[in-house]
Amino acid sequence: DGGITQSPKYLFRKEGQNVTLSCEQNLNHDAMYWYRQDPGQGLRLIYYSQIVNDFQKGDIAEGYSVSREKKESFPLTVTSAQKNPTAFYLCASSIGRSSENTIYFGEGSWLTVV
Amino acid sequence: KQEVTQIPAALSVPEGENLVLNCSFTDSAIYNLQWFRQDPGKGLTSLLLIQSSQREQTSGRLNASLDKSSGRSTLYIAASQPGDSATYLCAVHSGGGADGLTFGKGTHLIIQP
């Protein structure tokens, strides 16, 4: 089945630790996105990539980093510089930029700081 | 800056009723509007995408309308079922920001059996 796979589903981070969330898609989509969702808030964009080896910061990129070495993969690293990382993280993709195309989401990853 | 508001924030209705969820946006210069469903602890599932040139889209018991000039969209759910219980979000693409998308906070819908 075509889709977006995020892993792990649940992740615990200790203070000062970097963690990486995986996002893989087999939809042959060019554009990929990372969003953060906090309770009672809308989704906020962390990073966006339109093509391989290119990505742009979103509204809340501080404390996060990404790479796009392959079309199907867009991992997100939550660094120790992110002071409030506990949230639900959603990866998404679309054929091209979302101006014309449906955007599809993965099942999400929960990150908790312990 | 585009702002998207969804009213009500929560809604509880008996099974079988027809219902309307509302989404309003401040900047009418949009490319499209998309409705999503989110189950607890899950990702978003796309329901309907309306391009700026369209007035409505239908899928099964769902009908979404778009009035760009007034900055409004509605999602109509016919003959509601307990399985429709979820949070419904709308997102507007208006070109601002890296991805151009602005999401509402959602309407939490409960259908009582």
Side-chain angles (χ1 to χ4, degrees), chain B residues 12-65:
Chain B
S12 180
V13 301
E15 179 179 5
E17 283 198 7
N18 302 326
L19 58 97
V20 174
L21 307 181
N22 297 293
C23 174
S24 62
F25 46 95
T26 55
D27 185 350
S28 62
I30 67 169
Y31 294 102
N32 62 45
L33 183 146
Q34 196 165 354
W35 283 94
F36 296 89
R37 169 189 173 131
Q38 186 176 30
D39 293 293
K42 302 287 188 180
L44 278 65
T45 300
S46 178
L47 298 173
L48 291 163
L49 172 70
I50 310 177
Q51 301 293 351
S52 62
S53 59
Q54 298 174 323
R55 296 283 294 182
E56 65 178 324
Q57 283 283 343
T58 298
S59 177
R61 294 182 294 108
L62 305 180
N63 176 277
S65 68

Side-chain angles (χ1 to χ4, degrees), chain A residues 64-109:
Chain A
Y64 300 97
S65 65
V66 295
S67 63
R68 187 85 188 275
E69 298 176 359
K70 298 185 295 182
K71 185 176 184 177
E72 59 270 23
S73 179
F74 191 40
L76 173 73
T77 297
V78 184
T79 75
S80 57
Q82 171 50 239
K83 298 307 178 187
N84 184 26
T86 296
F88 188 49
Y89 291 86
L90 287 159
C91 179
S93 71
S94 60
I95 293 175
R97 198 163 184 266
S98 54
S99 58
E100 296 181 353
N101 304 296
T102 299
I103 182 169
Y104 297 90
F105 283 82
E107 285 294 287
S109 292

Side-chain angles (χ1 to χ4, degrees), chain B residues 61-85:
Chain B
R61 294 182 294 108
L62 305 180
N63 176 277
S65 68
L66 175 65
D67 184 342
K68 246 187 19 169
S69 60
S70 67
R72 293 184 179 181
S73 176
T74 61
L75 180 67
Y76 175 84
I77 303 177
S80 59
Q81 303 170 358
D84 295 330
S85 297

Side-chain angles (χ1 to χ4, degrees), chain A residues 12-90:
Chain A
F12 298 91
R13 192 195 92 169
K14 295 180 180 179
E15 294 284 348
Q17 190 178 46
N18 293 353
V19 293
T20 297
L21 306 180
S22 170
C23 179
E24 303 278 332
Q25 54 97 0
N26 60 4
L27 300 168
N28 200 32
H29 286 173
D30 288 311
M32 296 188 73
Y33 317 74
W34 273 106
Y35 291 93
R36 170 177 172 147
Q37 187 176 34
D38 294 281
Q41 295 197 33
L43 275 69
R44 293 183 290 170
L45 180 70
I46 305 172
Y47 268 98
Y48 161 67
S49 171
Q50 195 167 2
I51 56 172
V52 174
N53 292 322
D54 181 67
F55 47 83
Q56 298 178 45
K57 292 182 179 180
D59 300 321
I60 55 167
E62 184 175 352
Y64 300 97
S65 65
V66 295
S67 63
R68 187 85 188 275
E69 298 176 359
K70 298 185 295 182
K71 185 176 184 177
E72 59 270 23
S73 179
F74 191 40
L76 173 73
T77 297
V78 184
T79 75
S80 57
Q82 171 50 239
K83 298 307 178 187
N84 184 26
T86 296
F88 188 49
Y89 291 86
L90 287 159

